[in-house]
Amino acid sequence: MAVAARTPFIAGNWKMNLDHLRAVALVQKLNWTLKDAGHEAGSVEVGVFPPFTDLRTVQTLIDADKIAFALGAQDLSVHESGAYTGEVSGAFLAKLDCTYVIIGHSERRQYHHESDETIGAKAHAAIRHGLVPVICVGETAEDLETFGASAVPVGQLEVALEGLPAGSDIVVAYEPVWAIGSGQAATPEQAQEVCAKLRAVVAAKLGAEAAEKTRILYGGSVKSANIASFMREPDVDGALVGGASLVADEFAAIVRYQKHVGV
Ligand code: 13P
């Protein structure tokens, strides 16, 4: 279900939440809630990113009930197969009909010490397997104070895109680390400023056409009350949502941002 033009993309990163049984309940409720609200599938792409152990179950549900959600994983290995205990190959994710895979999330950078180079290798691995990498970049509060908002994410994206073929299908997520789970989102103006700079990086590395079609998401304390203000910005094409993606009514309200008053 890869999308060619810049269809808005609202993606739910469940992180390490919900086992496969609870995953079914959430996906079903989200689907019903959007249907009841008259949401037009296709106007906004909806993505769910459950833990690895839920993927097969969610894939089966999406397939059986013809649910118009894209499926993604939260990480992948740089390797194809072999003696890498605990790792998951992009080949396995592709077999489960995953369209997307998140790479470079700040929680992987922080707790698993993933370097920009590792994230670049993961971007290559994703593309090799026909997966669209959702490449996360963002500055910490310290970075923000020292370098301003854009220098660190721009540098991270430059390394992540190094050597990828021109025109590669990617999604970029700008997630300021200080905004994740803090309840304190960036301002729409700041998100726009950084996302515009990230688009310029995509243009420089993958070509102008790729930059034009690449979705750049904002992530960090997105909720139904603030999503519309981000989506008004020209270079913000969607959101990567953490906590609020675990609550069907709230996530559905985020997906339906076009119906919010004043948009
Ligand atoms: P929150 O929406 O909970 O701030 O998390 C954002 C995030 O990290 C999504 O990847």
Side-chain angles (χ1 to χ4, degrees), residues 13 15 102 105 107 175 179-182 219-222 240-244:
N13 174 11
K15 308 192 180 184
I102 292 172
H105 194 281
E107 288 147 18
E175 298 206 305
I180 294 175
S182 67
S221 297
V222 169
L240 186 55
V241 185

Side-chain angles (χ1 to χ4, degrees), residues 116-172:
D116 290 341
E117 289 72 20
T118 301
I119 291 151
K122 289 188 174 192
H124 277 84
I127 301 242
R128 266 201 312 278
H129 292 292
L131 300 162
V132 178
V134 177
I135 304 170
C136 301
V137 295
E139 82 287 358
T140 63
E142 252 178 28
D143 295 333
L144 180 65
E145 207 165 292
T146 316
F147 309 109
S150 60
V152 167
V154 160
Q156 290 172 336
L157 189 61
E158 282 172 344
V159 179
L161 298 185
E162 199 55 56
L164 285 188
S168 292
D169 198 0
I170 63 163
V171 171
V172 176

Side-chain angles (χ1 to χ4, degrees), residues 24 29 53 70 80 87 91 102 105 129 131 138 141 143 151 165 209 213 234-235 244 247 255:
V24 169
K29 184 162 186 213
T53 49
E80 309 299 310
E87 297 208 20
I102 292 172
H105 194 281
H129 292 292
L131 300 162
D143 295 333
E209 209 177 301
K213 71 167 202 208
D235 285 294
V247 183
V255 170

Side-chain angles (χ1 to χ4, degrees), residues 36-94:
D36 280 354
H39 176 69
E40 213 181 290
S43 58
V44 174
E45 185 180 6
V46 179
V48 290
F49 292 73
F52 287 129
T53 49
D54 300 4
L55 287 173
R56 175 67 172 143
T57 306
V58 174
Q59 176 214 14
T60 306
L61 175 63
I62 284 176
D63 188 42
D65 289 4
K66 298 188 174 34
I67 297 174
F69 298 169
L71 184 60
Q74 296 176 17
D75 190 28
L76 88 173
S77 175
V78 300
H79 306 290
E80 309 299 310
S81 64
Y84 302 103
T85 300
E87 297 208 20
V88 176
S89 167
F92 309 159
L93 301 177

